[in-house]
Amino acid sequence: MIAVDKNRPSPEWIESLRRRYPCEKEMDRVFTRKLLRRAGPGYSPVSLQTLCDSLQNLLKTQLDAPFEIREPRWLTGGASKIQMAFKLDWSQPGVGRSLTPMVVRMEPAESIVETSRLREYQIIKGVSEILPVPPVFWLDEHGKFFPYPAIVYGFAEGVTKPTSGVANVSGIGLNFGPALRKPLGKQYVEHLAKLHTWDWSKADLSAFDVPALGTQAIEWHLNWWERVWEEDSNFDIPLLRLAALWLRDNMPSIDRISLIHGDYRAGNFLFTEHDQRISAWLDWELGYLGDFHSDVAYTTLPYLSHYAEDGKTLLASGLMPVEEIYEAYEKASGLTINQKTIDYYHIFQAYRSGVIIIATSYRPARNGKTHQDLLLAWIMGLGYSSNGYLRDKLEEVA
Amino acid sequence: MEVRPEIQIRAMIKAMVDVVLPAVDPEQKMAQEQARLVIGTLGLIASRLPVAYRFDRDQLDRYVSLSHELVALDKADGGGQTVSKLESLAERGADVLQRARAEPSELESTVFDLRAEVSSLLQSLHKSSSPEKWNKVNRLILDASKMEIDRERALVVAMGFEPKPGSIPPIESLLPQVNG
């Protein structure tokens, strides 16, 4: 038995986790890197000047013509990455001299979700064929130019919540109001259907391992989250162990592989208020190849919902009643939802929420690894209602 | 329960030092001073919190001893009438001291050890149990989890994550009643 200090993980322990929970190659690299760096320094504030200097160095390797970085400023939003908006005065290929609004999205020292910038870059490049997403321009995969790995995006117009609205942190429990629900809800479901029926095989997704039909995708994914639980949790929770065992025993088989967003919910898309259009889908870092039920189940989780004005109708992701989402999704995608598989993925998603919110929110905050430790400490409070839902769902299927 | 003051205070200090204080106008002297006082006070709380319980227990121990000595001194020369209240309070103090033996950190680490061992056994039983036995194990864990989660949700209901916060009972009603 290896004595474990999770704040200073030993090479032996890291290797034991890699063997015990085999994941996709790129995710294995990301998790291993996280643990190897864990005992290192916490996150120190990075100035706008530092980010601009890093950006300047990156762009010098990418652009031949003169350019200028203008109007840098911080962006808030999201608990996982650091974001700086700026304008680039440059000779844009095919366009000419332009002033283009852009965003740098950079990792902190350790994040509430440790993911791959390369996967994020590839997935957004790919889905730009079918969905509104911010254009991605450049990637600093290993933090060669920036203090940590980063992506440079085009700035997408829009807001995550009505300018007059109220929401909890990270868009959870976001209330769009009655007038916006219908137009946004329709696009919300249509976009999900488009994503899941898209032929991803022609896109460059080299950072993704393609699972075989059957149960390989969910098996890799269970390995992913069980490994993260082992790496990050501060104490054990028998309920989560019970859930993991149940999920292993009941893995559903798939006969098609879809590209999964992984965090498809209110708060992760932008919309323009004047025309009520979804203008950009964000936060693709949890994307993977797997079962479409996974996203459909996630977006209908009750703890990501709120009640309508009547106090009775639960609105999934603040947009539509659950049954309406299922119906509209089947109509738009031509795919048939299996309720038993939705039940499975509701349990899976609640388990994953527990891992992220209780284990991974804790560990970086404990070690001062992010720019938003206080937000992570706050988000931990959601873990108990997601665990409550997990428990009730396990009781239903027991 | 992971939303613990140690983590929250540490994160508050970091937010104040890294984000809030640098954004406070240097010309607003009072705001600057107050921000620094908040950081200092939080730092003090964070450093004192782990010893607060031991400090109080030590204090009680010393006062029980002092009281006993005073009572004994008074009784030795025929007094005693005036110290009966102190004597009774010292006995109560000694009783409290007797019951207040474990450190909060010991309480926490023992809970953690039990959690880990329950989880480990759960995984072993999953491999070795008959379906009937496993169903019973399942039931035990689900019932225990309900009690645990009810308390955790009640503890953090003010954070605003509950769709129906009115349905969550006050935490005080879910914990054992205590005197004092």
Short mmCIF file of all heavy atoms in Angstrom, two decimals, chain A residues 43 45 168 234-239 241-242 245 249 307 362 366 368 370 373-374 378 380-382 384-385 387-388 391 395 398, chain B residues 1-3 7 10-12 14 18 112 115 118-119 122-123 126 134 138-139 142 145-146 149 152 156 159-162 164:
data_model
loop_
_atom_site.label_atom_id
_atom_site.label_comp_id
_atom_site.label_asym_id
_atom_site.label_seq_id
_atom_site.Cartn_x
_atom_site.Cartn_y
_atom_site.Cartn_z
N TYR A 43 -0.64 29.61 -7.81
CA TYR A 43 -0.86 30.60 -8.87
C TYR A 43 -0.53 31.99 -8.33
O TYR A 43 -1.06 32.41 -7.29
CB TYR A 43 -2.31 30.56 -9.34
CG TYR A 43 -2.64 31.65 -10.33
CD1 TYR A 43 -2.25 31.54 -11.66
CD2 TYR A 43 -3.30 32.80 -9.93
CE1 TYR A 43 -2.52 32.54 -12.56
CE2 TYR A 43 -3.57 33.82 -10.83
CZ TYR A 43 -3.18 33.68 -12.15
OH TYR A 43 -3.44 34.67 -13.04
N PRO A 45 -0.61 36.08 -9.35
CA PRO A 45 -1.32 36.92 -10.32
C PRO A 45 -0.43 37.25 -11.51
O PRO A 45 0.74 37.60 -11.35
CB PRO A 45 -1.66 38.17 -9.53
CG PRO A 45 -1.63 37.75 -8.11
CD PRO A 45 -0.62 36.66 -8.01
N ASN A 168 -26.80 32.51 -10.09
CA ASN A 168 -25.74 32.13 -9.18
C ASN A 168 -24.44 32.09 -9.97
O ASN A 168 -24.42 32.31 -11.17
CB ASN A 168 -26.06 30.76 -8.57
CG ASN A 168 -25.47 30.63 -7.19
OD1 ASN A 168 -24.37 31.10 -6.93
ND2 ASN A 168 -26.20 30.00 -6.30
N ASN A 234 -10.34 14.99 -0.94
CA ASN A 234 -9.71 15.17 0.38
C ASN A 234 -10.14 14.08 1.35
O ASN A 234 -9.44 13.79 2.29
CB ASN A 234 -10.11 16.54 0.93
CG ASN A 234 -9.38 16.88 2.21
OD1 ASN A 234 -8.21 16.55 2.35
ND2 ASN A 234 -10.06 17.52 3.14
N PHE A 235 -11.34 13.54 1.12
CA PHE A 235 -11.80 12.42 1.95
C PHE A 235 -12.74 11.58 1.11
O PHE A 235 -13.18 12.01 0.04
CB PHE A 235 -12.49 12.90 3.23
CG PHE A 235 -13.68 13.77 3.00
CD1 PHE A 235 -14.88 13.24 2.55
CD2 PHE A 235 -13.62 15.14 3.24
CE1 PHE A 235 -15.98 14.05 2.34
CE2 PHE A 235 -14.71 15.95 3.03
CZ PHE A 235 -15.91 15.40 2.58
N ASP A 236 -13.03 10.39 1.62
CA ASP A 236 -13.87 9.50 0.83
C ASP A 236 -15.35 9.74 1.07
O ASP A 236 -15.73 10.25 2.13
CB ASP A 236 -13.52 8.04 1.18
CG ASP A 236 -13.33 7.24 -0.08
OD1 ASP A 236 -14.27 7.21 -0.89
OD2 ASP A 236 -12.23 6.69 -0.28
N ILE A 237 -16.15 9.40 0.08
CA ILE A 237 -17.61 9.48 0.21
C ILE A 237 -18.18 8.15 -0.26
O ILE A 237 -18.16 7.86 -1.47
CB ILE A 237 -18.18 10.66 -0.61
CG1 ILE A 237 -17.59 11.98 -0.13
CG2 ILE A 237 -19.71 10.69 -0.53
CD1 ILE A 237 -18.11 13.22 -0.85
N PRO A 238 -18.64 7.31 0.66
CA PRO A 238 -19.14 5.99 0.25
C PRO A 238 -20.19 6.05 -0.86
O PRO A 238 -20.21 5.18 -1.73
CB PRO A 238 -19.72 5.43 1.56
CG PRO A 238 -18.90 6.08 2.63
CD PRO A 238 -18.62 7.46 2.13
N LEU A 239 -21.03 7.10 -0.84
CA LEU A 239 -22.07 7.20 -1.87
C LEU A 239 -21.43 7.27 -3.27
O LEU A 239 -21.93 6.65 -4.22
CB LEU A 239 -22.92 8.45 -1.64
CG LEU A 239 -24.02 8.67 -2.69
CD1 LEU A 239 -25.15 7.68 -2.52
CD2 LEU A 239 -24.55 10.10 -2.66
N ARG A 241 -18.54 6.07 -4.14
CA ARG A 241 -17.99 4.74 -4.43
C ARG A 241 -19.10 3.80 -4.90
O ARG A 241 -18.92 3.03 -5.84
CB ARG A 241 -17.32 4.15 -3.19
CG ARG A 241 -16.14 4.94 -2.70
CD ARG A 241 -14.98 4.87 -3.65
NE ARG A 241 -13.80 5.52 -3.11
CZ ARG A 241 -12.65 5.60 -3.74
NH1 ARG A 241 -12.51 5.10 -4.96
NH2 ARG A 241 -11.63 6.22 -3.20
N LEU A 242 -20.23 3.89 -4.22
CA LEU A 242 -21.38 3.05 -4.60
C LEU A 242 -21.81 3.39 -6.02
O LEU A 242 -22.09 2.50 -6.84
CB LEU A 242 -22.53 3.31 -3.62
CG LEU A 242 -23.73 2.36 -3.69
CD1 LEU A 242 -23.34 0.99 -3.16
CD2 LEU A 242 -24.89 2.91 -2.88
N LEU A 245 -19.42 1.98 -8.62
CA LEU A 245 -19.61 0.53 -8.79
C LEU A 245 -20.85 0.26 -9.65
O LEU A 245 -20.83 -0.59 -10.55
CB LEU A 245 -19.74 -0.15 -7.43
CG LEU A 245 -18.46 -0.15 -6.57
CD1 LEU A 245 -18.78 -0.56 -5.13
CD2 LEU A 245 -17.41 -1.06 -7.17
N ASP A 249 -21.17 -1.54 -13.37
CA ASP A 249 -22.02 -2.73 -13.57
C ASP A 249 -23.06 -2.54 -14.66
O ASP A 249 -23.62 -3.52 -15.14
CB ASP A 249 -22.78 -3.06 -12.26
CG ASP A 249 -21.88 -3.67 -11.21
OD1 ASP A 249 -20.77 -4.09 -11.56
OD2 ASP A 249 -22.29 -3.71 -10.03
N TYR A 307 -37.24 26.55 -11.21
CA TYR A 307 -38.69 26.50 -11.42
C TYR A 307 -39.16 27.74 -12.17
O TYR A 307 -38.62 28.85 -11.99
CB TYR A 307 -39.42 26.39 -10.08
CG TYR A 307 -39.35 24.99 -9.52
CD1 TYR A 307 -38.32 24.63 -8.65
CD2 TYR A 307 -40.27 24.02 -9.90
CE1 TYR A 307 -38.22 23.33 -8.17
CE2 TYR A 307 -40.18 22.73 -9.41
CZ TYR A 307 -39.15 22.38 -8.55
OH TYR A 307 -39.05 21.10 -8.08
N TYR A 362 -11.92 21.45 -4.38
CA TYR A 362 -11.15 21.51 -3.14
C TYR A 362 -9.64 21.62 -3.38
O TYR A 362 -8.97 22.49 -2.83
CB TYR A 362 -11.44 20.28 -2.27
CG TYR A 362 -10.46 20.12 -1.14
CD1 TYR A 362 -10.61 20.84 0.03
CD2 TYR A 362 -9.34 19.29 -1.28
CE1 TYR A 362 -9.68 20.73 1.06
CE2 TYR A 362 -8.41 19.18 -0.26
CZ TYR A 362 -8.59 19.89 0.91
OH TYR A 362 -7.66 19.79 1.91
N ARG A 366 -7.21 24.45 -2.08
CA ARG A 366 -6.38 24.08 -0.93
C ARG A 366 -4.92 24.49 -1.15
O ARG A 366 -4.22 24.90 -0.23
CB ARG A 366 -6.51 22.56 -0.70
CG ARG A 366 -5.34 21.82 -0.07
CD ARG A 366 -5.24 22.09 1.41
NE ARG A 366 -4.20 21.34 2.07
CZ ARG A 366 -2.89 21.59 2.01
NH1 ARG A 366 -2.43 22.53 1.21
NH2 ARG A 366 -2.04 20.88 2.73
N GLY A 368 -3.89 26.87 -3.36
CA GLY A 368 -3.74 28.21 -3.92
C GLY A 368 -3.32 28.22 -5.38
O GLY A 368 -2.48 29.00 -5.79
N THR A 370 -5.27 28.67 -8.25
CA THR A 370 -6.03 29.33 -9.31
C THR A 370 -6.18 30.82 -9.04
O THR A 370 -5.86 31.32 -7.96
CB THR A 370 -7.45 28.73 -9.48
OG1 THR A 370 -8.33 29.36 -8.55
CG2 THR A 370 -7.47 27.24 -9.25
N ASP A 373 -9.69 31.01 -6.39
CA ASP A 373 -9.84 30.03 -5.32
C ASP A 373 -11.13 30.25 -4.52
O ASP A 373 -11.78 29.30 -4.09
CB ASP A 373 -8.64 30.10 -4.36
CG ASP A 373 -7.36 29.57 -4.99
OD1 ASP A 373 -7.45 28.97 -6.07
OD2 ASP A 373 -6.29 29.79 -4.41
N LEU A 374 -11.46 31.52 -4.35
CA LEU A 374 -12.65 31.82 -3.55
C LEU A 374 -13.92 31.33 -4.25
O LEU A 374 -14.84 30.83 -3.60
CB LEU A 374 -12.73 33.34 -3.30
CG LEU A 374 -13.75 33.81 -2.29
CD1 LEU A 374 -13.59 33.14 -0.94
CD2 LEU A 374 -13.65 35.33 -2.12
N TRP A 378 -16.57 28.46 -3.06
CA TRP A 378 -18.01 28.72 -3.04
C TRP A 378 -18.77 27.62 -3.78
O TRP A 378 -19.80 27.13 -3.32
CB TRP A 378 -18.28 30.10 -3.67
CG TRP A 378 -19.71 30.52 -3.57
CD1 TRP A 378 -20.68 30.37 -4.52
CD2 TRP A 378 -20.35 31.14 -2.44
NE1 TRP A 378 -21.88 30.86 -4.07
CE2 TRP A 378 -21.70 31.33 -2.79
CE3 TRP A 378 -19.92 31.53 -1.18
CZ2 TRP A 378 -22.62 31.91 -1.92
CZ3 TRP A 378 -20.84 32.11 -0.31
CH2 TRP A 378 -22.16 32.29 -0.69
N MET A 380 -18.16 24.62 -4.10
CA MET A 380 -18.25 23.36 -3.35
C MET A 380 -19.64 23.16 -2.75
O MET A 380 -20.09 22.04 -2.55
CB MET A 380 -17.22 23.34 -2.22
CG MET A 380 -15.82 23.09 -2.66
SD MET A 380 -14.75 23.14 -1.19
CE MET A 380 -13.27 23.80 -1.89
N GLY A 381 -20.32 24.27 -2.46
CA GLY A 381 -21.65 24.19 -1.85
C GLY A 381 -22.67 23.51 -2.73
O GLY A 381 -23.69 22.98 -2.23
N LEU A 382 -22.43 23.48 -4.04
CA LEU A 382 -23.37 22.81 -4.95
C LEU A 382 -23.26 21.29 -4.85
O LEU A 382 -24.18 20.57 -5.22
CB LEU A 382 -23.09 23.28 -6.39
CG LEU A 382 -23.93 22.65 -7.52
CD1 LEU A 382 -25.42 22.98 -7.33
CD2 LEU A 382 -23.47 23.14 -8.88
N TYR A 384 -23.46 19.23 -2.54
CA TYR A 384 -24.38 18.48 -1.68
C TYR A 384 -25.73 18.26 -2.34
O TYR A 384 -26.34 17.20 -2.18
CB TYR A 384 -24.51 19.18 -0.33
CG TYR A 384 -23.15 19.45 0.26
CD1 TYR A 384 -22.74 20.72 0.64
CD2 TYR A 384 -22.23 18.41 0.38
CE1 TYR A 384 -21.47 20.95 1.14
CE2 TYR A 384 -20.95 18.63 0.88
CZ TYR A 384 -20.58 19.91 1.25
OH TYR A 384 -19.32 20.11 1.73
N SER A 385 -26.21 19.25 -3.10
CA SER A 385 -27.47 19.00 -3.79
C SER A 385 -27.27 18.02 -4.95
O SER A 385 -28.14 17.19 -5.23
CB SER A 385 -28.17 20.29 -4.24
OG SER A 385 -27.27 21.20 -4.75
N ASN A 387 -25.11 15.58 -4.90
CA ASN A 387 -25.03 14.28 -4.23
C ASN A 387 -26.42 13.80 -3.78
O ASN A 387 -26.71 12.61 -3.79
CB ASN A 387 -24.10 14.34 -3.02
CG ASN A 387 -22.65 14.13 -3.41
OD1 ASN A 387 -22.35 13.96 -4.59
ND2 ASN A 387 -21.77 14.16 -2.44
N GLY A 388 -27.25 14.74 -3.37
CA GLY A 388 -28.62 14.38 -2.98
C GLY A 388 -29.37 13.80 -4.16
O GLY A 388 -30.07 12.77 -4.04
N ARG A 391 -27.98 10.30 -4.94
CA ARG A 391 -28.50 9.30 -4.00
C ARG A 391 -29.92 8.87 -4.35
O ARG A 391 -30.25 7.69 -4.38
CB ARG A 391 -28.46 9.88 -2.58
CG ARG A 391 -28.80 8.88 -1.52
CD ARG A 391 -29.68 9.47 -0.42
NE ARG A 391 -30.40 8.39 0.23
CZ ARG A 391 -31.63 8.03 -0.07
NH1 ARG A 391 -32.32 8.68 -1.01
NH2 ARG A 391 -32.22 7.02 0.54
N GLU A 395 -31.26 5.20 -5.58
CA GLU A 395 -32.34 4.50 -4.87
C GLU A 395 -33.41 4.04 -5.87
O GLU A 395 -33.94 2.93 -5.75
CB GLU A 395 -32.96 5.43 -3.82
CG GLU A 395 -33.99 4.71 -2.96
CD GLU A 395 -34.25 5.47 -1.68
OE1 GLU A 395 -34.67 6.64 -1.78
OE2 GLU A 395 -34.03 4.90 -0.60
N ALA A 398 -31.99 0.97 -7.60
CA ALA A 398 -31.48 -0.11 -6.74
C ALA A 398 -32.42 -1.31 -6.77
O ALA A 398 -33.61 -1.17 -6.82
CB ALA A 398 -31.31 0.40 -5.32
N MET B 1 -17.96 16.81 4.83
CA MET B 1 -18.25 18.23 4.62
C MET B 1 -16.96 18.95 4.24
O MET B 1 -16.01 18.97 4.98
CB MET B 1 -18.83 18.81 5.93
CG MET B 1 -19.69 20.01 5.74
SD MET B 1 -18.80 21.53 5.54
CE MET B 1 -18.22 21.82 7.20
N GLU B 2 -16.96 19.49 3.03
CA GLU B 2 -15.72 20.05 2.49
C GLU B 2 -15.67 21.57 2.56
O GLU B 2 -14.61 22.17 2.44
CB GLU B 2 -15.58 19.58 1.05
CG GLU B 2 -14.19 19.63 0.49
CD GLU B 2 -13.19 18.80 1.29
OE1 GLU B 2 -12.89 19.17 2.43
OE2 GLU B 2 -12.71 17.79 0.77
N VAL B 3 -16.84 22.20 2.72
CA VAL B 3 -16.86 23.66 2.78
C VAL B 3 -16.44 24.06 4.20
O VAL B 3 -17.27 24.34 5.06
CB VAL B 3 -18.25 24.22 2.42
CG1 VAL B 3 -18.22 25.74 2.38
CG2 VAL B 3 -18.71 23.68 1.07
N ILE B 7 -10.33 26.36 4.41
CA ILE B 7 -10.20 26.60 2.97
C ILE B 7 -10.82 27.94 2.59
O ILE B 7 -10.28 28.71 1.80
CB ILE B 7 -10.90 25.46 2.19
CG1 ILE B 7 -10.23 24.13 2.48
CG2 ILE B 7 -10.90 25.74 0.69
CD1 ILE B 7 -8.78 24.06 2.09
N ARG B 10 -8.57 30.87 3.68
CA ARG B 10 -7.37 30.95 2.84
C ARG B 10 -7.71 31.56 1.48
O ARG B 10 -6.98 32.40 0.95
CB ARG B 10 -6.82 29.53 2.66
CG ARG B 10 -5.42 29.49 2.11
CD ARG B 10 -4.92 28.08 1.96
NE ARG B 10 -5.05 27.29 3.18
CZ ARG B 10 -4.52 26.08 3.34
NH1 ARG B 10 -3.83 25.55 2.38
NH2 ARG B 10 -4.67 25.41 4.46
N ALA B 11 -8.84 31.12 0.90
CA ALA B 11 -9.25 31.63 -0.41
C ALA B 11 -9.65 33.10 -0.32
O ALA B 11 -9.40 33.89 -1.25
CB ALA B 11 -10.40 30.79 -0.95
N MET B 12 -10.26 33.49 0.80
CA MET B 12 -10.65 34.90 0.98
C MET B 12 -9.41 35.80 1.03
O MET B 12 -9.36 36.87 0.42
CB MET B 12 -11.46 35.07 2.27
CG MET B 12 -12.88 34.53 2.17
SD MET B 12 -13.62 34.28 3.79
CE MET B 12 -13.98 35.94 4.27
N LYS B 14 -6.48 35.17 -0.27
CA LYS B 14 -5.86 35.21 -1.60
C LYS B 14 -6.62 36.18 -2.51
O LYS B 14 -6.02 36.95 -3.26
CB LYS B 14 -5.84 33.81 -2.20
CG LYS B 14 -5.00 33.69 -3.45
CD LYS B 14 -4.60 32.22 -3.66
CE LYS B 14 -3.65 32.08 -4.84
NZ LYS B 14 -4.31 32.16 -6.12
N ASP B 18 -4.64 39.24 -4.00
CA ASP B 18 -4.34 39.19 -5.44
C ASP B 18 -5.25 40.09 -6.28
O ASP B 18 -4.83 40.57 -7.33
CB ASP B 18 -4.50 37.74 -5.96
CG ASP B 18 -3.39 36.83 -5.46
OD1 ASP B 18 -2.48 37.33 -4.79
OD2 ASP B 18 -3.45 35.62 -5.73
N PHE B 112 -12.41 10.82 8.68
CA PHE B 112 -11.83 10.55 7.35
C PHE B 112 -11.38 9.09 7.25
O PHE B 112 -11.58 8.44 6.23
CB PHE B 112 -10.62 11.47 7.10
CG PHE B 112 -10.99 12.88 6.70
CD1 PHE B 112 -12.27 13.37 6.92
CD2 PHE B 112 -10.06 13.72 6.12
CE1 PHE B 112 -12.62 14.67 6.57
CE2 PHE B 112 -10.39 15.02 5.75
CZ PHE B 112 -11.67 15.50 5.98
N ARG B 115 -14.42 6.94 6.87
CA ARG B 115 -14.97 7.08 5.51
C ARG B 115 -14.18 6.22 4.52
O ARG B 115 -14.75 5.51 3.69
CB ARG B 115 -14.86 8.54 5.06
CG ARG B 115 -15.90 9.47 5.62
CD ARG B 115 -15.61 10.90 5.16
NE ARG B 115 -16.68 11.81 5.45
CZ ARG B 115 -17.77 11.96 4.70
NH1 ARG B 115 -17.91 11.26 3.61
NH2 ARG B 115 -18.71 12.82 5.04
N VAL B 118 -14.80 2.46 5.15
CA VAL B 118 -16.14 2.06 4.70
C VAL B 118 -16.13 1.92 3.17
O VAL B 118 -16.64 0.94 2.61
CB VAL B 118 -17.21 3.10 5.14
CG1 VAL B 118 -18.52 2.88 4.40
CG2 VAL B 118 -17.45 3.01 6.64
N SER B 119 -15.51 2.88 2.50
CA SER B 119 -15.46 2.85 1.04
C SER B 119 -14.66 1.65 0.55
O SER B 119 -15.03 1.00 -0.43
CB SER B 119 -14.84 4.14 0.50
OG SER B 119 -15.69 5.22 0.78
N LEU B 122 -16.66 -1.44 1.02
CA LEU B 122 -17.73 -1.43 0.03
C LEU B 122 -17.25 -2.07 -1.28
O LEU B 122 -17.94 -2.90 -1.88
CB LEU B 122 -18.13 0.03 -0.22
CG LEU B 122 -19.43 0.32 -0.92
CD1 LEU B 122 -20.60 -0.26 -0.18
CD2 LEU B 122 -19.60 1.85 -1.03
N GLN B 123 -16.03 -1.70 -1.67
CA GLN B 123 -15.49 -2.23 -2.92
C GLN B 123 -15.19 -3.72 -2.82
O GLN B 123 -15.43 -4.47 -3.75
CB GLN B 123 -14.25 -1.43 -3.33
CG GLN B 123 -14.66 -0.05 -3.81
CD GLN B 123 -13.48 0.89 -3.99
OE1 GLN B 123 -12.65 1.02 -3.10
NE2 GLN B 123 -13.42 1.54 -5.13
N HIS B 126 -18.51 -5.60 -2.86
CA HIS B 126 -19.10 -5.63 -4.20
C HIS B 126 -18.59 -6.84 -4.98
O HIS B 126 -19.32 -7.46 -5.75
CB HIS B 126 -18.76 -4.33 -4.94
CG HIS B 126 -19.32 -4.27 -6.32
ND1 HIS B 126 -18.53 -4.43 -7.43
CD2 HIS B 126 -20.58 -4.09 -6.77
CE1 HIS B 126 -19.29 -4.34 -8.51
NE2 HIS B 126 -20.53 -4.13 -8.15
N TRP B 134 -25.48 -7.92 -1.10
CA TRP B 134 -25.13 -6.64 -1.71
C TRP B 134 -26.30 -5.66 -1.64
O TRP B 134 -26.12 -4.46 -1.41
CB TRP B 134 -24.67 -6.84 -3.15
CG TRP B 134 -24.31 -5.53 -3.81
CD1 TRP B 134 -24.94 -4.92 -4.85
CD2 TRP B 134 -23.24 -4.64 -3.42
NE1 TRP B 134 -24.34 -3.72 -5.15
CE2 TRP B 134 -23.30 -3.52 -4.29
CE3 TRP B 134 -22.26 -4.68 -2.44
CZ2 TRP B 134 -22.40 -2.46 -4.20
CZ3 TRP B 134 -21.37 -3.62 -2.34
CH2 TRP B 134 -21.44 -2.53 -3.21
N ASN B 138 -26.12 -2.03 -0.05
CA ASN B 138 -26.60 -0.89 -0.82
C ASN B 138 -27.58 -0.05 0.01
O ASN B 138 -27.50 1.18 0.06
CB ASN B 138 -27.35 -1.48 -2.04
CG ASN B 138 -27.19 -0.66 -3.27
OD1 ASN B 138 -26.09 -0.31 -3.65
ND2 ASN B 138 -28.29 -0.33 -3.89
N ARG B 139 -28.50 -0.73 0.65
CA ARG B 139 -29.54 -0.06 1.46
C ARG B 139 -28.90 0.73 2.60
O ARG B 139 -29.27 1.87 2.88
CB ARG B 139 -30.49 -1.13 2.00
CG ARG B 139 -31.73 -0.68 2.72
CD ARG B 139 -32.74 -0.06 1.78
NE ARG B 139 -32.62 1.39 1.78
CZ ARG B 139 -33.06 2.17 0.80
NH1 ARG B 139 -33.60 1.68 -0.27
NH2 ARG B 139 -32.93 3.47 0.89
N LEU B 142 -27.17 3.85 1.21
CA LEU B 142 -28.14 4.87 0.76
C LEU B 142 -28.80 5.56 1.95
O LEU B 142 -28.99 6.77 1.96
CB LEU B 142 -29.20 4.24 -0.16
CG LEU B 142 -28.71 3.83 -1.55
CD1 LEU B 142 -29.81 3.11 -2.32
CD2 LEU B 142 -28.21 5.02 -2.34
N SER B 145 -26.30 7.79 3.61
CA SER B 145 -26.02 8.95 2.75
C SER B 145 -27.13 9.98 2.85
O SER B 145 -26.87 11.18 2.78
CB SER B 145 -25.87 8.51 1.29
OG SER B 145 -24.79 7.63 1.16
N LYS B 146 -28.36 9.51 3.00
CA LYS B 146 -29.47 10.47 3.11
C LYS B 146 -29.28 11.35 4.34
O LYS B 146 -29.41 12.58 4.26
CB LYS B 146 -30.81 9.74 3.18
CG LYS B 146 -31.96 10.68 3.42
CD LYS B 146 -33.28 10.17 2.94
CE LYS B 146 -34.43 11.14 3.24
NZ LYS B 146 -34.11 12.55 3.17
N ILE B 149 -26.32 13.76 3.64
CA ILE B 149 -26.59 14.82 2.65
C ILE B 149 -27.61 15.83 3.19
O ILE B 149 -27.50 17.03 2.95
CB ILE B 149 -27.06 14.20 1.32
CG1 ILE B 149 -25.90 13.42 0.70
CG2 ILE B 149 -27.55 15.26 0.36
CD1 ILE B 149 -26.32 12.46 -0.40
N GLU B 152 -25.64 18.19 5.21
CA GLU B 152 -24.74 19.03 4.41
C GLU B 152 -25.53 20.11 3.66
O GLU B 152 -25.12 21.27 3.59
CB GLU B 152 -23.96 18.15 3.42
CG GLU B 152 -22.94 17.27 4.12
CD GLU B 152 -22.36 16.18 3.21
OE1 GLU B 152 -23.03 15.82 2.22
OE2 GLU B 152 -21.28 15.69 3.51
N VAL B 156 -25.30 24.47 4.10
CA VAL B 156 -24.88 25.45 3.07
C VAL B 156 -26.04 26.03 2.29
O VAL B 156 -25.83 26.63 1.24
CB VAL B 156 -23.85 24.82 2.10
CG1 VAL B 156 -22.63 24.33 2.86
CG2 VAL B 156 -24.46 23.70 1.28
N MET B 159 -26.01 29.38 0.51
CA MET B 159 -25.16 29.64 -0.66
C MET B 159 -25.99 29.79 -1.93
O MET B 159 -25.47 30.21 -2.96
CB MET B 159 -24.12 28.53 -0.83
CG MET B 159 -23.08 28.52 0.28
SD MET B 159 -21.93 27.12 0.13
CE MET B 159 -20.44 27.96 -0.33
N GLY B 160 -27.26 29.39 -1.88
CA GLY B 160 -28.16 29.68 -3.00
C GLY B 160 -28.20 28.64 -4.10
O GLY B 160 -28.63 28.93 -5.21
N PHE B 161 -27.78 27.41 -3.82
CA PHE B 161 -27.79 26.39 -4.86
C PHE B 161 -29.05 25.51 -4.84
O PHE B 161 -29.20 24.65 -5.71
CB PHE B 161 -26.56 25.48 -4.73
CG PHE B 161 -25.26 26.19 -5.03
CD1 PHE B 161 -24.32 26.38 -4.03
CD2 PHE B 161 -25.00 26.68 -6.30
CE1 PHE B 161 -23.12 27.03 -4.30
CE2 PHE B 161 -23.80 27.33 -6.58
CZ PHE B 161 -22.86 27.51 -5.57
N GLU B 162 -29.91 25.67 -3.86
CA GLU B 162 -31.09 24.81 -3.76
C GLU B 162 -32.25 25.39 -4.57
O GLU B 162 -32.58 26.56 -4.38
CB GLU B 162 -31.51 24.66 -2.29
CG GLU B 162 -30.54 23.89 -1.44
CD GLU B 162 -30.49 22.41 -1.79
OE1 GLU B 162 -31.45 21.91 -2.43
OE2 GLU B 162 -29.49 21.76 -1.43
N LYS B 164 -35.36 24.72 -4.17
CA LYS B 164 -36.43 25.03 -3.21
C LYS B 164 -35.83 25.14 -1.80
O LYS B 164 -35.97 24.22 -0.98
CB LYS B 164 -37.51 23.95 -3.25
CG LYS B 164 -38.37 24.04 -4.51
CD LYS B 164 -39.66 23.26 -4.34
CE LYS B 164 -40.62 23.63 -5.46
NZ LYS B 164 -41.84 22.82 -5.47
#
